[in-house]
Amino acid sequence: MTLLEAARAVRDRAYVPYSRFKVGAAVRGASGAIYHGCNVENVAYPEGTCAEAGAIALMVASGETELVEVAVIADSPSPVPPCGGCRQKLAEFGRPDTPVLLATTSGQELRTTISALLPGRFDASHMSGSE
């Protein structure tokens, strides 16, 4: 199964009773294993979980802390990029040159990288020397 196929399959399980906007994401860990996640809404909107965050949480819960590839898919007119918070989460576990595939259910694709999605990322080096 490809990363995009994994993202497409998990997208169908999204819990989206309010927006009806299903998103699926999959990340490949450094081991080669695929971890997937879907968005999960809550009536208190800020309490929902993005698909990318779910995939990363599954990766970490499975014992990995490095992702080497990302795929995100949604039923939208053009590929949907991760939200700002998810961009930072991807940057936490991936390198700047980590490939990111954004896709629509109709087949449109956009290939990018974590650094292109989050230029000027905040990272641990910004915290050195602080007490």
Side-chain angles (χ1 to χ4, degrees), residues 56-68:
I56 291 168
L58 180 57
M59 179 186 76
V60 172
S62 297
E64 290 203 62
T65 57
E66 181 184 357
L67 60 86
V68 298

Side-chain angles (χ1 to χ4, degrees), residues 40-128:
V40 178
E41 294 180 346
N42 187 292
V43 70
Y45 266 93
E47 299 305 316
T49 304
C50 296
E52 300 89 340
I56 291 168
L58 180 57
M59 179 186 76
V60 172
S62 297
E64 290 203 62
T65 57
E66 181 184 357
L67 60 86
V68 298
E69 190 179 4
V70 179
V72 180
I73 189 167
D75 182 13
S76 58
S78 60
V80 176
C83 73
C86 285
R87 292 175 195 212
Q88 185 65 47
K89 289 174 181 73
L90 291 169
E92 180 73 19
F93 296 100
R95 296 185 338 202
D97 62 346
T98 298
V100 178
L101 173 62
L102 306 174
T104 67
T105 55
S106 64
Q108 189 177 354
E109 295 183 358
L110 173 65
R111 295 180 187 281
T112 188
T113 62
I114 289 177
S115 65
L117 288 172
L118 187 64
R121 73 188 237 179
F122 179 79
D123 62 30
S125 70
H126 293 101
M127 298 175 66
S128 63

